[in-house]
PDB file of all heavy atoms in Angstrom:
ATOM      1  N   GLY A  49     -13.512  10.853   2.985  1.00 97.00           N
ATOM      2  CA  GLY A  49     -13.718  10.190   1.650  1.00 97.00           C
ATOM      3  C   GLY A  49     -12.635  10.447   0.691  1.00 97.00           C
ATOM      4  O   GLY A  49     -12.004  11.515   0.954  1.00 97.00           O
ATOM      5  N   LEU A  50     -12.464   9.652  -0.299  1.00 98.00           N
ATOM      6  CA  LEU A  50     -11.430   9.999  -1.342  1.00 98.00           C
ATOM      7  C   LEU A  50     -11.935   9.267  -2.586  1.00 98.00           C
ATOM      8  O   LEU A  50     -12.394   8.063  -2.565  1.00 98.00           O
ATOM      9  CB  LEU A  50     -10.192   9.425  -0.919  1.00 98.00           C
ATOM     10  CG  LEU A  50      -8.928  10.144  -1.801  1.00 98.00           C
ATOM     11  CD1 LEU A  50      -8.696  11.533  -1.678  1.00 98.00           C
ATOM     12  CD2 LEU A  50      -7.576   9.302  -1.433  1.00 98.00           C
ATOM     13  N   ALA A  51     -11.988   9.987  -3.723  1.00 98.00           N
ATOM     14  CA  ALA A  51     -12.201   9.478  -4.991  1.00 98.00           C
ATOM     15  C   ALA A  51     -10.945   9.114  -5.782  1.00 98.00           C
ATOM     16  O   ALA A  51      -9.961   9.801  -5.605  1.00 98.00           O
ATOM     17  CB  ALA A  51     -13.157  10.429  -5.738  1.00 98.00           C
ATOM     18  N   GLN A  54      -9.055  11.786  -7.372  1.00 98.00           N
ATOM     19  CA  GLN A  54      -8.219  12.663  -6.593  1.00 98.00           C
ATOM     20  C   GLN A  54      -6.645  12.066  -6.586  1.00 98.00           C
ATOM     21  O   GLN A  54      -5.866  12.974  -6.206  1.00 98.00           O
ATOM     22  CB  GLN A  54      -8.606  12.868  -5.202  1.00 98.00           C
ATOM     23  CG  GLN A  54      -9.969  13.621  -5.193  1.00 98.00           C
ATOM     24  CD  GLN A  54     -10.522  13.746  -3.803  1.00 98.00           C
ATOM     25  OE1 GLN A  54     -11.149  12.853  -3.207  1.00 98.00           O
ATOM     26  NE2 GLN A  54     -10.196  14.799  -3.061  1.00 98.00           N
ATOM     27  N   GLY A 101     -15.459  20.812   2.983  1.00 96.00           N
ATOM     28  CA  GLY A 101     -14.233  20.960   2.775  1.00 96.00           C
ATOM     29  C   GLY A 101     -13.684  19.810   1.865  1.00 96.00           C
ATOM     30  O   GLY A 101     -14.523  18.854   1.579  1.00 96.00           O
ATOM     31  N   CYS A 102     -12.403  19.840   1.381  1.00 97.00           N
ATOM     32  CA  CYS A 102     -12.075  18.768   0.414  1.00 97.00           C
ATOM     33  C   CYS A 102     -10.509  18.708   0.451  1.00 97.00           C
ATOM     34  O   CYS A 102      -9.814  19.734   0.478  1.00 97.00           O
ATOM     35  CB  CYS A 102     -12.460  19.221  -1.028  1.00 97.00           C
ATOM     36  SG  CYS A 102     -11.917  17.927  -2.255  1.00 97.00           S
ATOM     37  N   LEU A 103      -9.981  17.473   0.484  1.00 97.00           N
ATOM     38  CA  LEU A 103      -8.517  17.335   0.499  1.00 97.00           C
ATOM     39  C   LEU A 103      -7.867  17.966  -0.788  1.00 97.00           C
ATOM     40  O   LEU A 103      -6.594  18.272  -0.691  1.00 97.00           O
ATOM     41  CB  LEU A 103      -8.206  15.794   0.586  1.00 97.00           C
ATOM     42  CG  LEU A 103      -8.653  15.171   1.919  1.00 97.00           C
ATOM     43  CD1 LEU A 103      -8.383  13.631   1.773  1.00 97.00           C
ATOM     44  CD2 LEU A 103      -7.713  15.730   3.074  1.00 97.00           C
ATOM     45  N   SER A 104      -8.571  18.038  -1.760  1.00 98.00           N
ATOM     46  CA  SER A 104      -7.980  18.704  -3.031  1.00 98.00           C
ATOM     47  C   SER A 104      -8.148  20.137  -3.052  1.00 98.00           C
ATOM     48  O   SER A 104      -7.642  20.880  -3.983  1.00 98.00           O
ATOM     49  CB  SER A 104      -8.801  18.154  -4.312  1.00 98.00           C
ATOM     50  OG  SER A 104      -8.516  16.761  -4.424  1.00 98.00           O
ATOM     51  N   VAL A 105      -8.728  20.733  -1.946  1.00 98.00           N
ATOM     52  CA  VAL A 105      -8.981  22.224  -1.860  1.00 98.00           C
ATOM     53  C   VAL A 105      -8.442  22.589  -0.438  1.00 98.00           C
ATOM     54  O   VAL A 105      -9.202  22.852   0.410  1.00 98.00           O
ATOM     55  CB  VAL A 105     -10.367  22.588  -2.130  1.00 98.00           C
ATOM     56  CG1 VAL A 105     -10.448  24.191  -2.173  1.00 98.00           C
ATOM     57  CG2 VAL A 105     -10.972  22.036  -3.352  1.00 98.00           C
ATOM     58  N   HIS A 144     -20.567  14.528  -2.297  1.00 98.00           N
ATOM     59  CA  HIS A 144     -19.299  15.110  -2.566  1.00 98.00           C
ATOM     60  C   HIS A 144     -18.299  14.219  -3.248  1.00 98.00           C
ATOM     61  O   HIS A 144     -17.608  14.662  -4.213  1.00 98.00           O
ATOM     62  CB  HIS A 144     -18.637  15.607  -1.279  1.00 98.00           C
ATOM     63  CG  HIS A 144     -17.369  16.156  -1.287  1.00 98.00           C
ATOM     64  ND1 HIS A 144     -17.191  17.614  -1.044  1.00 98.00           N
ATOM     65  CD2 HIS A 144     -16.172  15.673  -1.639  1.00 98.00           C
ATOM     66  CE1 HIS A 144     -15.845  17.836  -1.140  1.00 98.00           C
ATOM     67  NE2 HIS A 144     -15.160  16.706  -1.439  1.00 98.00           N
ATOM     68  N   GLU A 145     -18.209  12.974  -2.833  1.00 98.00           N
ATOM     69  CA  GLU A 145     -17.272  11.951  -3.449  1.00 98.00           C
ATOM     70  C   GLU A 145     -17.597  11.622  -4.886  1.00 98.00           C
ATOM     71  O   GLU A 145     -16.843  11.558  -5.619  1.00 98.00           O
ATOM     72  CB  GLU A 145     -17.153  10.781  -2.618  1.00 98.00           C
ATOM     73  CG  GLU A 145     -16.510  11.052  -1.090  1.00 98.00           C
ATOM     74  CD  GLU A 145     -15.310  11.883  -1.107  1.00 98.00           C
ATOM     75  OE1 GLU A 145     -14.532  11.764  -2.056  1.00 98.00           O
ATOM     76  OE2 GLU A 145     -15.220  12.616  -0.089  1.00 98.00           O
ATOM     77  N   HIS A 148     -16.638  14.103  -7.500  1.00 98.00           N
ATOM     78  CA  HIS A 148     -15.305  14.033  -7.868  1.00 98.00           C
ATOM     79  C   HIS A 148     -15.250  13.147  -9.102  1.00 98.00           C
ATOM     80  O   HIS A 148     -14.426  13.430 -10.091  1.00 98.00           O
ATOM     81  CB  HIS A 148     -14.424  13.508  -6.798  1.00 98.00           C
ATOM     82  CG  HIS A 148     -13.972  14.506  -5.806  1.00 98.00           C
ATOM     83  ND1 HIS A 148     -13.224  15.500  -6.073  1.00 98.00           N
ATOM     84  CD2 HIS A 148     -14.085  14.426  -4.486  1.00 98.00           C
ATOM     85  CE1 HIS A 148     -12.883  16.230  -5.017  1.00 98.00           C
ATOM     86  NE2 HIS A 148     -13.418  15.557  -4.013  1.00 98.00           N
ATOM     87  N   LEU A 153     -16.014  19.878  -8.256  1.00 98.00           N
ATOM     88  CA  LEU A 153     -15.480  20.047  -6.817  1.00 98.00           C
ATOM     89  C   LEU A 153     -16.598  20.882  -6.128  1.00 98.00           C
ATOM     90  O   LEU A 153     -17.386  21.566  -6.760  1.00 98.00           O
ATOM     91  CB  LEU A 153     -14.117  20.894  -6.967  1.00 98.00           C
ATOM     92  CG  LEU A 153     -13.042  20.125  -7.605  1.00 98.00           C
ATOM     93  CD1 LEU A 153     -11.823  21.021  -7.916  1.00 98.00           C
ATOM     94  CD2 LEU A 153     -12.475  19.022  -6.801  1.00 98.00           C
ATOM     95  N   PHE A 154     -16.458  20.746  -4.706  1.00 98.00           N
ATOM     96  CA  PHE A 154     -17.470  21.560  -4.038  1.00 98.00           C
ATOM     97  C   PHE A 154     -17.485  22.975  -4.264  1.00 98.00           C
ATOM     98  O   PHE A 154     -18.549  23.712  -4.224  1.00 98.00           O
ATOM     99  CB  PHE A 154     -17.381  21.272  -2.511  1.00 98.00           C
ATOM    100  CG  PHE A 154     -16.437  22.104  -1.747  1.00 98.00           C
ATOM    101  CD1 PHE A 154     -16.793  23.299  -1.383  1.00 98.00           C
ATOM    102  CD2 PHE A 154     -15.119  21.761  -1.736  1.00 98.00           C
ATOM    103  CE1 PHE A 154     -15.834  24.149  -0.587  1.00 98.00           C
ATOM    104  CE2 PHE A 154     -14.180  22.492  -0.928  1.00 98.00           C
ATOM    105  CZ  PHE A 154     -14.568  23.673  -0.455  1.00 98.00           C
TER     106      PHE A 154
HETATM  107 NI1   NI B   1     -13.305  16.229  -1.948  1.00 91.64          NI
END
Side-chain angles (χ1 to χ4, degrees):
L50 192 67
Q54 292 176 276
C102 179
L103 293 172
S104 293
V105 187
H144 177 111
E145 296 312 326
H148 278 300
L153 297 169
F154 83 89

